[in-house]
Amino acid sequence: MKDAELKNYVEFAMRAISHLHESGRTDAEAREEAKAILEKMDDGKDSYLFLYGLDGTLLVHPKQRESVGENMWNFQDPAGKLLIQDLIRIARSGGGFEDYVWPKYSTGSLDPKPKRAYVIEVPNWGWMLGTGVYVDDIDDALSEIDSRVSRNIEDTMLWIAGIAFLATVVIFLGLLRNIRERTVLDDRLSEANSNLAALTQRLIDARAEEEKRIKYVHGGIQSMLTAIKVNIEAGVRALPQTPGSEKESAPFSSAAKQLGGVLGDLRKIVKGIFIIDPNLPLSDQLNKLTLDMSTVATPIEFNTVGEIEYLPLEVKETLFMSAKTALENIIKHAGASRASVLLEGTASCVKMEIRDNGKGFDLRLVYSNPNSGIGLRSMKEDLKVVGGKLAVTSSPSDGTRLVATVPYP
């Protein structure tokens, strides 16, 4: 917009003197009349035209009339730039723009401000004609936008923390209550779920302004809500099966279902926000992940076989996050001396196999205990969303093997 404004102003000035310039006259009288017209094109503030001879002589400058007639060829701005020489060079090469600093006369101060000029050559008369516009107002506007976005991001992060806190409080109260108090708990759960729905909607509305930060909480918040949902479902299954128990457990089942909805909303929010680089193949990013996570005690090897067809970004992100979660568990808990990641492309699907030679674990105990296996449950939930599945085998003698399979779309 600033550039268009400058070009329009110079074109308007050329039209104002066209009856003299295009007449073919080169006499001093015609030139003096043209200079008088250009000098009057001054709004009294910061919009004016300047005119120099191609030898650097100042011919018209409404704000520096005392310098008219002086040769400014060697003039330098506060940054040391030979400004007049640069402007004349640009004009003689066909015209164009130049950035520099210049006093802003409307402020009454001689402190230089950033400015942008547009100059052209006036053929046959040996002139360089131009005008400029100050751009410090653009910097001020951008600073205000940055400040506003930062405030909105902080507000959004508070809402996210509020969602996690309220969900934890609801589940903690639900697990402490016995069957005789479920009527009271049902009211509280209903109110809390209404609050969760409202907060989720606000989170969705704020997505555009906080997308630079939400990727860092994607894994943690989603895993925690998945764990909360799994704990509720496990609590419902553990309740005594008595006449009327189905009705009494209904509030808990409803809470689990609504948390599932919250998880779905969260996935929609983060959809399109890149957890990984969308321009790099999945194999390259998994290779880098294994290099970054390898330790002296547990080196991690990466291999890929077969041709991997196009994968949507959400599938690549799910496989990447699943590999990261699995490798973190191996390093923390497996006691393995080696681990490996194999990415394989087949005719119908992509497979990711993660192995270690660690101490293994009892799958039945993990899945029967709601306080363990949160990483595995989260991986299964995430793979299910993109149409995939997870198979796990583990034993003390053979270590652990995880195979994630996702069909091609």
Side-chain angles (χ1 to χ4, degrees), residues 320-373:
F320 179 87
M321 292 303 295
S322 296
K324 185 173 183 296
T325 301
L327 294 176
E328 287 174 346
N329 286 339
I330 291 172
I331 293 171
K332 291 179 182 178
H333 307 299
S337 62
R338 67 178 183 274
S340 65
V341 177
L342 173 65
L343 186 66
E344 179 183 0
T346 71
S348 60
C349 66
V350 60
K351 292 183 179 181
M352 182 177 68
E353 179 183 283
I354 302 174
R355 287 178 174 268
D356 70 72
N357 66 343
K359 58 188 179 182
F361 56 89
D362 190 325
L363 287 173
R364 290 175 299 176
L365 292 178
V366 168
Y367 287 130
S368 63
N369 185 352
N371 295 318
S372 64

Side-chain angles (χ1 to χ4, degrees), residues 223-288:
S223 296
M224 183 169 63
L225 290 179
T226 300
I228 292 170
K229 179 175 177 289
V230 169
N231 284 337
I232 292 179
E233 292 170 343
V236 171
R237 290 194 297 271
L239 290 174
Q241 299 299 315
T242 61
S245 62
E246 182 176 345
K247 180 178 180 181
E248 293 171 342
S249 64
F252 295 97
S253 299
S254 176
K257 183 177 180 181
Q258 291 180 350
L259 274 175
V262 171
L263 278 168
D265 288 341
L266 184 58
R267 290 189 182 98
K268 291 178 183 178
I269 294 170
V270 301
K271 185 178 181 181
I273 298 174
F274 304 145
I275 305 301
I276 61 177
D277 190 334
N279 299 315
L280 290 178
L282 177 61
S283 57
D284 290 351
Q285 304 195 63
L286 287 175
N287 185 41
K288 182 178 184 303

Side-chain angles (χ1 to χ4, degrees), residues 27-141:
D27 57 279
E29 183 179 352
R31 296 187 183 200
E32 289 301 319
E33 186 177 347
K35 287 192 285 186
I37 293 172
L38 297 174
E39 188 171 14
K40 292 178 181 179
M41 297 178 70
D42 173 17
D43 70 351
K45 294 181 180 179
D46 296 312
S47 295
Y48 57 88
L49 293 158
F50 54 80
L51 185 68
Y52 287 82
L54 295 181
D55 63 350
T57 301
L58 178 59
L59 302 176
V60 171
H61 198 303
K63 306 299 183 183
Q64 289 184 307
R65 289 186 172 88
E66 70 281 359
S67 299
V68 171
E70 295 184 15
N71 188 284
M72 310 293 287
W73 182 259
N74 293 319
F75 174 80
Q76 296 182 0
D77 72 358
K81 177 186 292 187
L82 292 169
L83 179 59
I84 305 305
Q85 293 184 32
D86 286 350
L87 292 174
I88 291 174
R89 174 181 53 79
I90 292 171
R92 300 189 71 172
S93 64
F97 298 93
E98 175 75 337
D99 295 314
Y100 59 101
V101 293
W102 196 265
K104 193 171 184 178
Y105 299 103
S106 63
T107 64
S109 171
L110 295 179
D111 292 336
K113 300 293 183 182
K115 192 171 185 179
R116 184 167 175 83
Y118 177 71
V119 294
I120 62 170
E121 182 181 5
V122 181
N124 302 325
W125 283 7
W127 287 355
M128 179 267 288
L129 174 64
T131 188
V133 62
Y134 292 94
V135 296
D136 53 331
D137 56 334
I138 296 177
D139 295 335
D140 294 342

Side-chain angles (χ1 to χ4, degrees), residues 143-212:
S143 296
E144 173 61 24
I145 291 172
D146 288 341
S147 176
R148 190 182 310 132
V149 169
S150 295
R151 291 194 299 269
N152 290 338
I153 289 174
E154 291 173 0
D155 291 343
T156 301
M157 296 301 292
L158 289 175
W159 282 118
I160 293 174
I163 290 174
F165 176 76
L166 286 175
T168 302
V169 169
V170 169
I171 303 309
F172 177 73
L173 291 175
L175 294 177
L176 289 179
R177 300 295 183 184
N178 57 38
I179 296 176
R180 292 189 301 269
E181 296 173 322
R182 283 177 185 167
T183 301
V184 176
L185 181 59
D186 180 55
D187 293 338
R188 293 184 179 181
L189 283 173
S190 177
E191 179 182 356
N193 286 328
S194 297
N195 290 336
L196 280 173
L199 290 174
T200 301
Q201 185 60 49
R202 292 190 183 184
L203 179 63
I204 294 172
D205 293 339
R207 174 186 180 276
E209 295 178 353
E210 55 80 36
E211 63 179 7
K212 291 183 180 179

